[in-house]
Amino acid sequence: MNDMPVCCPQCGSTQIAPVRKNYDMGCGCLGLLLFGWIGLLLGLLGGGDVEMVCANCGARWEPGRHKDGASSGCLPSLLLIIVILLLLAGLGVFGAERSTSTYRDGQGRMTGSSTTIGSGTTYRDGQGRMTGASTTIGNNTTYRDGQGRMTGSSTTIGNNTTYRDASGRMTGSATTHGNVTTYRDASGKMTGSATKVGNQVIYRDASGRMTGSKTSR
């Protein structure tokens, strides 16, 4: 029969006690990083678990693991969660839509491209260098340059979109009817249009001359 008292694997103290966790801060922080504020709910997954706590040095470990050394907290669980999330993301389980668009000028020469994943879009020039990005939340879109600085925004209500610069001043608008979108400047003067046919969009200036195109897939 083993009568040896349970000792802290960190300092050897016998002043230890079981404590029931109400919230797992590690899982909560991971959820915050991955999913925003709602991700804090992940911390509840560790609630109710029992762990041993040393009153002398503060070490924590799972019951029955005192012979193997103090537990490194929830790090192993966090690493496992990260691996699972990465695998799920690779399999497309999260359902984030991905689309790529190619832009060309009026002569058909490629001028750039964009890649959209979920609510975020990254823009690149003809050489593949990143030139900017946009993020859409609800009916609001924020635009940023290649260094991440905000350059403007747009708000869509119904079939009308209003564009603003980084200072919030209105710079133009767009109105969509069917597959045709008409663009206007801040004074309401028409500056161009876009017509969508299948997966292609044809851009024209105010005089109706073709200025470029976009093909999405």
Side-chain angles (χ1 to χ4, degrees):
M1 182 176 180
N2 186 2
D3 295 328
M4 294 186 62
V6 178
C7 301
C8 172
Q10 192 78 17
C11 66
S13 173
T14 58
Q15 300 179 29
I16 59 177
V19 175
R20 186 176 297 277
K21 294 190 294 183
N22 294 320
Y23 187 85
D24 193 318
M25 285 298 298
C27 290
C29 291
L30 176 63
L32 176 64
L33 292 175
L34 294 176
F35 307 113
W37 292 108
I38 195 172
L40 290 172
L41 295 175
L42 282 178
L44 297 176
L45 295 177
D49 292 343
V50 176
E51 62 182 356
M52 306 302 291
V53 180
C54 177
N56 184 50
C57 68
R60 295 171 177 264
W61 67 95
E62 297 176 10
R65 296 191 57 186
H66 59 280
K67 293 182 179 180
D68 300 324
S71 169
S72 55
C74 60
L75 181 59
S77 298
L78 294 181
L79 293 176
L80 178 60
I81 293 175
I82 292 175
V83 171
I84 293 175
L85 290 176
L86 290 176
L87 289 175
L88 292 175
L91 293 173
V93 173
F94 291 142
E97 296 182 2
R98 178 189 179 98
S99 63
T100 301
S101 298
T102 302
Y103 300 87
R104 299 182 182 278
D105 61 18
Q107 286 70 48
R109 296 178 296 235
M110 178 179 174
T111 57
S113 64
S114 65
T115 301
T116 300
I117 301 177
S119 61
T121 300
T122 302
Y123 301 92
R124 300 182 182 278
D125 61 18
Q127 286 71 48
R129 296 179 296 239
M130 179 179 174
T131 57
S134 66
T135 303
T136 300
I137 300 177
N139 61 345
N140 296 309
T141 299
T142 302
Y143 303 92
R144 300 183 182 279
D145 61 18
Q147 285 70 49
R149 296 177 296 232
M150 179 179 174
T151 57
S153 64
S154 66
T155 302
T156 300
I157 300 177
N159 61 344
N160 296 309
T161 300
T162 302
Y163 299 92
R164 300 182 183 278
D165 61 19
S167 301
R169 295 183 294 252
M170 179 179 173
T171 57
S173 63
T175 303
T176 301
H177 292 289
N179 62 339
V180 177
T181 299
T182 302
Y183 300 93
R184 300 181 183 278
D185 61 19
S187 65
K189 181 180 178 180
M190 178 179 174
T191 57
S193 64
T195 303
K196 184 176 182 180
V197 180
N199 65 340
Q200 188 175 56
V201 177
I202 304 298
Y203 298 96
R204 300 181 184 277
D205 62 18
S207 300
R209 294 183 296 251
M210 178 179 174
T211 58
S213 64
K214 179 181 75 170
T215 303
S216 302
R217 57 183 176 83

